[in-house]
Amino acid sequence: MGRTTEQRLAQPGAHEVSKFLAMHATFEIPEQMLWFSVLRVAISDLMDKTPSARPYVEAAREFFTSGRFAYFCDLCDLEPDFVIRTLRDHAGLSND
């Protein structure tokens, strides 16, 4: 028996967080999948715990905290505040 979405998000990986956000996005044209992929890679970078990924983690943190990610959210009909809340709750994004 599979875990519920809530159970998966209790200890999520980047894939689960991205999949959760994709459930709330709109993909009416192929370009929206491309723009969502930008968000997905940034989420993966943000959650990478390997020491060699530190520059990518910092770049992803800057991407999300600077607000630049909101453009990509708009293209996929995602609410930027919802994305930030999800990343703070489940991906380790700090409130700074």
Side-chain angles (χ1 to χ4, degrees), residues 9-80:
L9 285 176
Q11 295 179 350
H15 177 75
E16 287 84 9
V17 173
S18 295
K19 191 173 179 179
F20 175 74
L21 290 173
M23 292 176 3
H24 298 278
T26 299
F27 302 114
E28 294 175 355
I29 58 174
E31 289 83 357
Q32 287 174 306
M33 287 293 290
L34 175 67
W35 299 127
F36 186 78
S37 292
V38 171
L39 293 171
R40 189 177 56 223
V41 169
I43 291 166
S44 180
D45 288 348
L46 179 69
M47 296 182 73
D48 195 333
K49 302 292 187 216
T50 58
S52 61
R54 188 174 199 168
Y56 302 109
V57 172
E58 292 304 318
R61 185 171 287 119
E62 171 65 22
F63 176 72
F64 287 114
T65 58
S66 71
R68 293 190 317 251
F69 79 100
Y71 173 75
F72 298 95
C73 291
D74 289 342
L75 293 170
C76 299
D77 291 332
L78 280 169
E79 179 60 44

